[in-house]
Amino acid sequence: MSSVLNTFSSLSLSRIYNNNHLQAPTHSNLTSASVSFTRRRLIVRAADTDTNEAKSKAPYKAPASGGSSINQLLGIKGAAQETNKWKIRLQLTKPVTWPPLVWGVVCGAAASGNFHWNLEDVAKSILCMIMSGPCLTGYTQTLNDWYDREIDAINEPYRPIPSGAIPENEVISQIWLLLLGGLGIAALLDVWAGHDFPILFYLALGGSLLSYIYSAPPLKLKQNGWIGNFALGASYISLPWWAGQALFGTLTPDIIVLTLIYSIAGLGIAIVNDFKSIEGDKALGLQSLPVAFGAETAKWICVGAIDITQISVAGYLLGAGKPYYALALLALIVPQVVFQASAQPFLVLGLLVTALAMSH
């Protein structure tokens, strides 16, 4: 239920602030959404440029000598080369991108006001997390790697698909198995929750469709830095929140609007991943925000999207008669602004504060 990404959870903005040659850690995808977190727009040029010509202009980026086996299992840069097919399959799902979706389900359950610490509710929430993380985020990430195989051949040629570590037919099979598994779990949760309308199934189906049009032509939302990044933010924040809230309570219009506003912060987070692909994007004529606006401007777009969103939500809570929660959120925004290189923990806690405010 996530559009594609590299990990929202492994974000570190310090590299944005401390280096002119910018590079962000791999995720990306909030919520239920997620896939690799690259956002680009293809510029059609009058003269044809084939992929081989582009490859010759881009530097070959080999993984660090003696790559980490842990990085390989998490699906992030610096991974050791692996021949075990099951480890490669896990790498394609990028487990490092699952935690934001899990946190989104937690926030949705908290916002419902109906979650109780008993065996049944805990079991439901865990199953919802499996649906959002390993299944549908895994589907999204594998799908995104499949459609990114040409650009990855430039930026990260050692990744499983461009390196030939896994046959293409096995990649396609994995995409379908994860998708059908996630949709099946969603349908099961609807029955377990006693829903007359299968809302979780349709949320999972909608999130999966968003993941597809994010990565695949002809729409390929990631070609547009603004639309693609917002779709990514919505899939990592809004979709898993909606799933958690619908599982234990009622998904209301105000929650939908509030979480979509929060997805603007997710847009800022998603921009971070673009910094690692600047060279490859330029080589293929793709317009990510760092390429389109320059690294310095993109840095401030990223920071502004996160900070302004939190301030706006605090204002909403104050207007809704929840002054203590608004003050708590503002208290988290202050260190977020001061320590912008480490803003993510404050954003994550802000999501939970907002969820608890909406539960009352």
Side-chain angles (χ1 to χ4, degrees):
M1 214 135 129
S2 123
S3 240
V4 324
L5 107 174
N6 280 317
T7 184
F8 188 157
S9 65
S10 67
L11 168 66
S12 171
L13 293 180
S14 57
R15 297 185 184 180
I16 298 179
Y17 280 81
N18 298 329
N19 297 281
N20 291 326
H21 181 70
L22 298 171
Q23 183 176 3
T26 308
H27 282 228
S28 64
N29 84 115
L30 212 161
T31 334
S32 355
S34 2
V35 273
S36 161
F37 269 65
T38 49
R39 271 86 27 207
R40 316 169 178 101
R41 179 174 57 192
L42 179 63
I43 296 181
V44 179
R45 303 183 184 281
D48 292 334
T49 302
D50 65 25
T51 304
N52 291 332
E53 182 180 345
K55 286 181 183 178
S56 66
K57 297 178 181 178
Y60 183 90
K61 298 181 180 179
S65 177
S68 167
S69 58
I70 295 178
N71 287 13
Q72 187 275 325
L73 292 174
L74 292 176
I76 59 179
K77 272 194 171 184
Q81 295 297 293
E82 184 57 67
T83 57
N84 183 294
K85 283 292 179 63
W86 289 105
K87 290 183 178 180
I88 292 172
R89 289 180 183 279
L90 182 63
Q91 181 181 2
L92 284 173
T93 67
K94 293 188 179 71
V96 75
T97 65
W98 302 348
L101 285 297
V102 171
W103 187 254
V105 172
V106 170
C107 290
S112 73
N114 291 319
F115 177 84
H116 301 93
W117 287 101
N118 56 48
L119 182 60
E120 181 178 4
D121 282 3
V122 170
K124 284 181 183 177
S125 64
I126 290 174
L127 194 57
C128 189
M129 292 171 187
I130 292 172
M131 172 194 73
S132 300
C135 289
L136 294 180
T137 303
Y139 149 79
T140 297
Q141 296 289 0
T142 307
L143 181 75
N144 189 70
D145 266 23
W146 171 253
Y147 283 108
D148 263 6
R149 60 192 185 277
E150 290 185 3
I151 190 69
D152 282 346
I154 295 175
N155 289 324
E156 301 175 84
Y158 45 84
R159 287 195 58 77
I161 297 175
S163 69
I166 183 170
E168 293 186 351
N169 65 310
E170 293 187 21
V171 177
I172 299 298
S173 297
Q174 175 163 318
I175 290 170
W176 278 106
L177 286 171
L178 291 171
L179 173 61
L180 295 176
L183 294 177
I185 292 174
L188 175 62
L189 286 171
D190 276 319
V191 173
W192 195 351
H195 292 158
D196 294 327
F197 177 80
I199 185 170
L200 288 167
F201 176 81
Y202 281 108
L203 284 174
L205 186 63
S208 301
L209 176 61
L210 180 61
S211 298
Y212 180 79
I213 64 174
Y214 174 86
S215 298
L219 294 179
K220 201 162 189 174
L221 300 182
K222 66 192 300 179
Q223 292 178 343
N224 183 297
W226 293 106
I227 296 175
N229 284 341
F230 182 77
L232 196 59
S235 67
Y236 268 74
I237 294 177
S238 299
L239 283 170
W241 183 316
W242 296 350
Q245 181 143 355
L247 180 59
F248 294 103
T250 302
L251 185 58
T252 56
D254 59 331
I255 287 292
I256 293 175
V257 172
L258 185 63
T259 51
L260 286 175
I261 292 173
Y262 245 125
S263 297
I264 298 173
L267 179 152
I269 295 293
I271 293 171
V272 175
N273 187 69
D274 287 333
F275 288 105
K276 76 179 178 65
S277 304
I278 291 177
E279 292 174 357
D281 291 350
K282 287 181 178 178
L284 290 183
L286 302 176
Q287 288 268 321
S288 63
L289 291 181
V291 171
F293 294 97
E296 186 67 18
T297 300
K299 174 187 73 176
W300 289 109
I301 293 173
C302 174
V303 171
I306 297 171
D307 293 343
I308 293 172
T309 297
Q310 288 271 64
I311 293 171
S312 300
V313 173
Y316 172 85
L317 294 179
L318 185 62
K322 304 175 188 293
Y324 296 112
Y325 289 102
L327 288 173
L329 190 56
L330 286 173
L332 290 169
I333 294 172
V334 172
Q336 177 178 297
V337 172
V338 174
F339 305 107
Q340 288 176 342
S342 302
Q344 186 195 357
F346 305 107
L347 172 64
V348 168
L349 290 175
L351 285 169
L352 184 58
V353 168
T354 303
L356 292 172
M358 299 309 294
S359 69
H360 294 81

